[in-house]
Amino acid sequence: MDALVYLIPISLFLGGIGLVAFFWTVRSNQYDDPEGDRHRILSSEYDDHPKE
Amino acid sequence: MSDSTFPEAPTASACPACDAAPMTRRLAASGAREAAAPCALMLSLPGVHCALCITTVEKALAAQPGVRSARVNLTLRRATVEADPGVRAATLVAAVNAVGYEAHEMDASALSTTATDRQGRELLMRLAVAGFAAMNVMLLSVAVWSGAADATRDLFHWISGAIAIPAVAFAGQPFYRSAWSALRHGRLNMDVPITLAILLALGTSLYETAHSGEHAYFDAAISLTFFLLAGRYLDHRTRAIARSAAEELAALEVARAERIGESGDETVDVAKLRPGDIIRVRPGGRMPVDGVIREGTSELDRSLLTGETLPVFAEAGRVVSAGEVNLTGPLVVEVTAAGRDSSLHRMADLVAMAESTRNRYTSLADRAAGLYAPGVHLLSLVAGVGWYLATGDARLAVNIAAAVLIITCPCALGLAVPAVTTAASGRLFKRGMLIKSGTALERLAEIDMVIFDKTGTLTLGTPELDAPDSHARADLALAAGLAAASSHPLSRALAEAAERAGIAPEAVTEIAEVPGYGTEGQWNGRRVRLGRAAWVGAEPGDRTAAWLGVEGRLPVCFTFADRLRPGAEEAVRGLRAIGLEVALISGDAAPAVGAFAARLGIEDVTAEALPEEKARRVADLAAAGRRVLMVGDGLNDTAALAAAHASLSPASALDAARVASDIVLLGEDIAPVASAVTTARSAVHRIRENFTIATVYNLVAVPIAIAGFATPLAAALAMSASSITVSLNSLRLK
């Protein structure tokens, strides 16, 4: 049972990283153009002006 | 995807009244922001669909002088261009056309997606927090359910509480706000029991945990928040999609006018026009304002305003209204009323009056909440008081009361409506229909009668030659020869009819178009004319007609009928087949309307109806207990659209008509109207079914909770099972 003392904080921390990463993707408008991003990745040209 | 009205391009929002306010604010603001340094231009690109399209269009735009950056959004099929102030949208459109793509300028100020964006993003964040917390708390709860005891259980409860309390405090805010505003106005809504259940569950759980109690409901509180937020988010997304599509439709109509100033012509925003300004309206252009013609002769198509298909002659001194279309010659117009004073906007008063009836409509969800909220409060109060009287144990009584509130959670109720409307709206959107109002589906399902407008709704508003075979081939050939030089709708119809009949146009020389009258030329040494009756030397009739006059011969008359909108016959037949009465009410002249109605087999016909008469007819029918679906496109239909139980307008309709209606038909084909009613009916059927499922769950679970057997495990099971059943049932929608 002692392992819980480490394991619970670790699992919460890892989950928290995922949550923060999700926040970041939402805040940086990464869901604005899913259709376009899907196609842009196939373009051979380097995207000089990625959307900020 | 490249028909005349782009499915993804459409303008309108959840309620016309909410629309009007920001619109006027926007209008007011557009006058004030003139010094916006690098201007952002927006183009609609209905044709882009692949990776190559993106790079081609972006390169073409970036190559234009003055363009700082260009970015294509494939999801919205739009390009946002940042450019120096001098860059004109027309040059960008030409550049995109040059590389082979269709492009249209959009009025960026009509797109207010940022506000809805922020709201959607906020909901998504809350949903993510609730989901994250619910998963962790559930994991801990599983350990407790499977037998953790004593210190371990207490520790797990404390950790659950530490996760759940801040998460619920953050994620549940939309419910607290809505519940508070309802309570402040002395009303009860669904959010009041939700908030109470969440707070009571957290409070008792915290107390129980502090006293090493066995049951804590942290998991129930957080998963309740999660499920309900999921319902809210679905609801928000459905509306946001409809709203942005609707706004786009409005944004495509860039309101510009050509003002004749002292220093020459300049293109200005219609919002900047003032009475006394002189503007030029080119052939094919729509009148942006009310005014008086100063110079020029032409013909005006007033069908959007009155439903009349017969073009009227226009000359200096004639009063024109906003919304009329100039057909042949350029006109110089002095503005008498612009913007909110114009006749277009005065119609808004009529609409506002008619609308109050619709705002009184209570949705199924509200009606369910009206029964549910007080019922649940009473039940939990009775259970708590009953247990206290029976046992004298206050802690147990509060526990039971909280359990009842949680078990009767409106998860299923909160998901039942959004899940179905999302599925139904998505289905209708695929068929080219845009649901603007939240209750439109429910209202559409209730209708028992459909009233159509004629011009522009069941017809396309473009003429078609009547009985082309009844004319002598020589006459048609000569008329086609004259018509070829003109872009007047009647001329185009004549040329098209001749082509279809395989008749080669006669060679006519020295063709000249006389704006407002017709076309004339020389043929075999004689003067020939095609145009208005009086000009050719004939008696004018009451049908839309063009006359062909050859010097020394009697004039020949070509009559025209309005072209049927594709799918009009199927729509009428389909609506009849599902048991709806169909009526036609038009502002057009009686003979034209009668002939048209006979073609479609509609018996209930009213012609020459004024806008007020249309609205009154709808109101009278409503007073007689009928539920009317009004389908119309013109300014004269606006009041009737607003007064009807449900309303639909094609994308080609006037902005005012689209704003007043619940549903916008994006394609040209009107046939999907009948299937929309069927879909709406089955959606409402599903909603009711979902309510029944939720009620059955409650009927089973509530006695258990009142009897005091409810455990956190039972609560979690009941809640998840009912939410999932309801969501799956919604997906069965056909």
Side-chain angles (χ1 to χ4, degrees):
Chain A
M1 281 307 208
D2 294 343
L4 287 178
V5 178
Y6 312 104
L7 289 180
I8 290 175
I10 289 175
S11 72
L12 281 178
F13 175 71
L14 290 177
I17 291 180
L19 187 65
V20 170
F22 178 73
F23 274 10
W24 171 71
T25 59
V26 173
R27 276 184 198 271
S28 54
N29 300 330
Q30 296 191 32
Y31 301 101
D32 275 7
D33 184 16
E35 192 88 355
D37 294 338
R38 190 170 92 197
H39 285 99
R40 269 176 211 277
I41 200 167
L42 297 175
S43 162
S44 56
E45 262 158 75
Y46 183 72
D47 195 352
D48 285 330
H49 309 284
K51 194 175 176 183
E52 282 105 47
Chain B
M1 280 288 184
S2 55
D3 66 29
S4 56
T5 50
F6 330 106
E8 60 286 329
T11 300
S13 74
C15 75
C18 329
D19 247 356
M23 197 105 80
T24 40
R25 241 177 282 136
R26 237 180 279 136
L27 276 178
S30 64
R33 44 140 198 131
E34 280 176 47
C39 61
L41 295 161
M42 238 182 245
L43 303 178
S44 162
L45 307 162
V48 296
H49 62 274
C50 63
L52 190 65
C53 311
I54 299 179
T55 43
T56 316
V57 171
E58 280 181 359
K59 263 197 209 152
L61 286 172
Q64 290 298 306
V67 172
R68 292 181 196 174
S69 74
R71 184 84 183 172
V72 172
N73 185 324
L74 194 61
T75 316
L76 299 169
R77 296 185 195 240
R78 268 181 215 165
T80 315
V81 181
E82 243 178 74
D84 295 334
V87 176
R88 298 253 323 272
T91 49
L92 297 180
V93 167
V96 176
N97 288 341
V99 290
Y101 292 96
E102 198 181 337
H104 304 271
E105 186 190 353
M106 295 207 295
D107 183 1
S109 66
L111 295 165
S112 65
T113 39
T114 41
T116 44
D117 246 26
R118 205 174 310 127
Q119 220 183 338
R121 194 176 290 183
E122 192 186 286
L123 264 178
L124 197 60
M125 298 260 199
R126 294 190 200 283
L127 187 64
V129 169
F132 167 76
M135 277 190 288
N136 285 293
V137 172
M138 273 297 165
L139 275 178
L140 295 166
S141 294
V142 169
V144 174
W145 298 335
S146 39
D150 309 326
T152 319
R153 187 184 62 206
D154 285 348
L155 173 69
F156 279 16
H157 278 169
W158 277 120
I159 299 174
S160 300
I163 301 171
I165 291 172
V168 167
F170 169 71
Q173 277 169 24
F175 307 117
Y176 314 147
R177 256 183 251 137
S178 150
W180 172 239
S181 75
L183 283 179
R184 223 178 17 193
H185 293 98
R187 286 183 295 113
L188 277 181
N189 63 9
M190 196 93 94
D191 291 328
V192 176
I194 292 172
T195 308
L196 202 64
I198 292 176
L199 293 182
L200 203 56
L202 287 183
T204 51
S205 303
L206 206 59
Y207 181 82
E208 286 293 306
T209 307
H211 290 79
S212 300
E214 203 181 331
H215 295 326
Y217 289 99
F218 291 121
D219 52 353
I222 187 73
S223 52
L224 177 66
T225 317
F226 175 70
F227 281 127
L228 289 169
L229 275 174
R232 281 299 142 96
Y233 184 66
L234 276 183
D235 197 44
H236 172 85
R237 258 187 49 124
T238 319
R239 279 175 206 205
I241 289 171
R243 189 173 305 138
S244 92
E247 272 180 353
E248 200 161 322
L249 208 54
L252 278 170
E253 287 172 11
V254 183
R256 293 265 165 78
E258 214 172 304
R259 183 165 64 189
I260 306 176
E262 282 159 19
S263 52
D265 292 8
E266 51 174 348
T267 309
V268 294
D269 265 358
V270 167
K272 279 189 204 144
L273 289 178
R274 298 283 167 267
D277 283 354
I278 307 285
I279 58 165
R280 194 191 303 279
V281 182
R282 298 192 177 280
R286 201 181 271 181
M287 291 290 164
V289 291
D290 290 355
V292 181
I293 298 176
R294 284 277 164 258
E295 280 169 43
T297 44
S298 178
E299 279 181 305
L300 293 174
D301 178 358
R302 313 183 59 197
S303 61
L304 270 176
L305 300 189
T306 60
E308 292 166 68
T309 43
L310 208 59
V312 271
F313 180 67
E315 60 186 339
R318 195 194 156 83
V319 174
V320 293
S321 328
E324 295 177 349
V325 177
N326 181 13
L327 289 179
T328 38
L331 292 175
V332 174
V333 177
E334 183 183 334
V335 180
T336 53
R340 290 208 280 155
D341 301 323
S342 75
S343 52
L344 256 175
H345 279 263
R346 279 202 302 273
M347 192 59 97
D349 300 341
L350 214 55
V351 173
M353 243 150 39
E355 229 155 45
S356 57
T357 45
R358 192 186 294 169
N359 290 343
R360 265 185 261 129
Y361 182 83
T362 357
S363 70
L364 272 173
D366 286 346
R367 265 179 278 167
L371 286 175
Y372 170 88
V376 165
H377 290 146
L378 270 180
L379 208 60
S380 121
L381 190 71
V382 167
V385 170
W387 274 91
Y388 182 71
L389 291 181
T391 62
D393 184 350
R395 182 173 158 194
L396 181 67
V398 172
N399 251 318
I400 299 267
V404 170
L405 267 184
I406 293 166
I407 288 258
T408 56
C409 96
C411 273
L413 289 182
L415 270 173
V417 178
V420 174
T421 43
T422 305
S425 309
R427 205 139 298 190
L428 289 178
F429 192 69
K430 271 194 204 125
R431 278 187 231 138
M433 262 168 299
L434 198 62
I435 312 288
K436 292 181 354 185
S437 151
T439 57
L441 271 176
E442 290 172 31
R443 283 185 276 117
L444 188 62
E446 288 173 355
I447 57 152
D448 54 13
M449 181 174 187
V450 184
I451 296 184
F452 281 104
D453 165 52
K454 182 179 82 76
T455 321
T457 305
L458 282 176
T459 70
L460 285 175
T462 49
E464 189 178 35
L465 183 63
D466 260 350
D469 303 333
S470 66
H471 298 286
R473 290 179 72 88
D475 287 343
L476 202 53
L478 183 56
L482 273 165
S486 165
S487 62
H488 192 281
L490 295 185
S491 298
R492 278 206 303 252
L494 261 175
E496 193 185 302
E499 198 187 314
R500 202 177 304 142
I503 299 170
E506 283 286 341
V508 182
T509 52
E510 293 170 42
I511 296 183
E513 188 160 13
V514 187
Y517 296 96
T519 338
E520 70 178 351
Q522 294 289 323
W523 174 70
N524 288 353
R526 279 189 282 185
R527 193 196 67 200
V528 285
R529 278 179 168 180
L530 178 71
R532 297 185 77 87
W535 187 55
V536 177
E539 278 299 306
D542 55 4
R543 303 277 311 265
T544 309
W547 295 75
L548 176 70
V550 182
E551 221 172 25
R553 277 200 346 219
L554 273 181
V556 184
C557 176
F558 293 98
T559 57
F560 296 84
D562 210 351
R563 196 173 303 223
L564 213 56
R565 186 180 275 272
E569 278 159 336
E570 285 100 315
V572 171
R573 213 182 312 124
L575 288 168
R576 285 234 176 86
I578 52 173
L580 298 172
E581 212 176 290
V582 178
L584 183 71
I585 180 163
S586 173
D588 205 358
V593 179
F596 178 82
R599 215 158 123 197
L600 284 177
I602 301 175
E603 278 139 31
D604 185 348
V605 180
T606 316
E608 289 167 40
L610 295 173
E612 296 81 18
E613 284 169 2
K614 286 194 177 196
R616 201 181 319 125
R617 171 92 195 276
V618 170
D620 287 349
L621 281 166
R626 306 299 300 266
R627 293 168 190 273
V628 177
L629 168 67
M630 176 76 203
V631 188
D633 78 316
L635 188 64
N636 56 339
D637 302 315
T638 321
L641 284 170
H645 195 60
S647 49
L648 187 145
S649 63
S652 56
L654 262 191
D655 193 31
R658 281 201 311 258
V659 168
S661 53
D662 301 314
I663 302 165
V664 177
L665 189 68
L666 303 176
E668 203 163 62
D669 193 334
I670 201 170
V673 173
S675 65
V677 179
T678 323
T679 306
R681 283 180 177 178
S682 81
V684 169
H685 180 69
R686 265 314 150 238
I687 292 176
R688 286 182 194 280
E689 225 170 60
N690 281 346
F691 282 159
T692 316
I693 293 176
T695 314
V696 168
Y697 268 103
N698 279 342
L699 283 182
V700 174
V702 168
I704 299 177
I706 292 181
F709 296 124
T711 58
L713 176 61
L717 281 180
M719 200 166 355
S720 318
S722 70
S723 299
I724 291 168
T725 329
V726 162
S727 311
L728 288 180
N729 188 43
S730 310
L731 294 178
R732 293 200 304 132
L733 184 85
K734 282 191 201 75

